[in-house]
Amino acid sequence: GMDLTLERESVKITTVQFFPFNSTRKATGLVYRLPGGEYRFLVKGAAELMIDACSTQITGIASASNGLQTGPLSDATRDQILQIINQFATASLRTIGFVYKDYFAWPPTGAEKIEDDPSLAGFDDAFRDMTWVGVVGIQDPLRPEVSPAIRRCHSAGVQVKMVTGDNIVTAKAIAQECGIYTPGGIA
């Protein structure tokens, strides 16, 4: 097996800028310096928003430079990825996409700077023409007391509503699982 603690300690990454999770952009990101002096902007977040920001994908690994080879993200591939995201969401999995972009300078040339600190860039200016890395589906199982509590509310005449920032397909699957969403209901 792999010792994650050991692996983490052996990788020295100097974070140049960190973007905490933000519920509007549904993502978190960080920028670090690559050994060659370039800057890599890594972002993880709601998969459907991540794929929207991508124009390229990883096509291979260049062994000489240990770098990544990228190529255009075709519409066919984009559709395949969206299908996978939808399959995960239908299975009530939360989908998280991973994307990145390399920059020669940070903040990127022409990008809006953060007012208090000109060495930092605004997220939105940097988050475009990203490279797709992949998607994972994470299960966030319902607590065992949720379904019985919803049944008790219903039998007491209380209508239960669910408010979430999840992908609509994921939200419907979870709401159906615990008895909030029923066929013919509104989502």
Side-chain angles (χ1 to χ4, degrees):
M2 179 193 286
D3 182 348
L4 281 180
T5 317
L6 211 70
E7 287 294 326
R8 253 189 218 116
E9 285 167 6
S10 71
V11 176
K12 292 283 172 257
I13 288 182
T14 310
T15 302
V16 176
Q17 185 171 353
F18 176 70
F19 297 93
F21 181 81
N22 167 311
S23 57
T24 309
R25 71 170 79 109
K26 294 183 183 178
T28 180
L30 72 77
V31 179
Y32 69 96
R33 196 129 194 211
L34 293 167
E38 290 180 327
Y39 296 85
R40 180 160 288 168
F41 178 35
L42 292 173
V43 184
K44 68 174 179 179
E48 64 277 10
L49 299 181
M50 297 300 105
I51 189 73
D52 275 354
C54 289
S55 57
T56 56
Q57 64 179 331
I58 295 172
T59 55
I61 294 170
S63 53
S65 63
N66 216 355
L68 300 168
Q69 293 170 334
T70 61
L73 180 63
S74 70
D75 288 342
T77 304
R78 185 183 302 275
D79 288 344
Q80 278 179 319
I81 294 166
L82 287 167
Q83 265 183 312
I84 292 165
I85 292 169
N86 203 44
Q87 284 168 359
F88 284 173
T90 307
S92 73
L93 297 177
R94 184 164 287 138
T95 60
I96 298 173
F98 298 88
V99 301
Y100 82 95
K101 184 172 181 177
D102 290 343
Y103 285 97
F104 290 113
W106 194 265
T109 316
E112 184 190 339
K113 314 271 193 289
I114 289 176
E115 280 175 29
D116 336 336
D117 187 343
S119 72
L120 302 179
F123 183 90
D124 295 333
D125 281 344
F127 186 62
R128 53 177 55 136
D129 290 321
M130 302 295 287
T131 298
W132 178 256
V133 177
V135 61
V136 294
I138 294 178
Q139 190 169 29
D140 208 352
L142 287 175
R143 290 199 197 101
E145 63 272 17
V146 171
S147 296
I150 289 165
R151 281 197 298 275
R152 283 197 299 281
C153 287
H154 285 162
S155 64
V158 175
Q159 276 197 339
V160 181
K161 308 284 186 225
M162 181 171 118
V163 179
T164 177
D166 274 334
N167 168 323
I168 185 74
V169 181
T170 306
K172 279 165 87 169
I174 292 168
Q176 200 164 5
E177 211 176 303
C178 64
I180 293 174
Y181 180 73
T182 50
I186 298 167

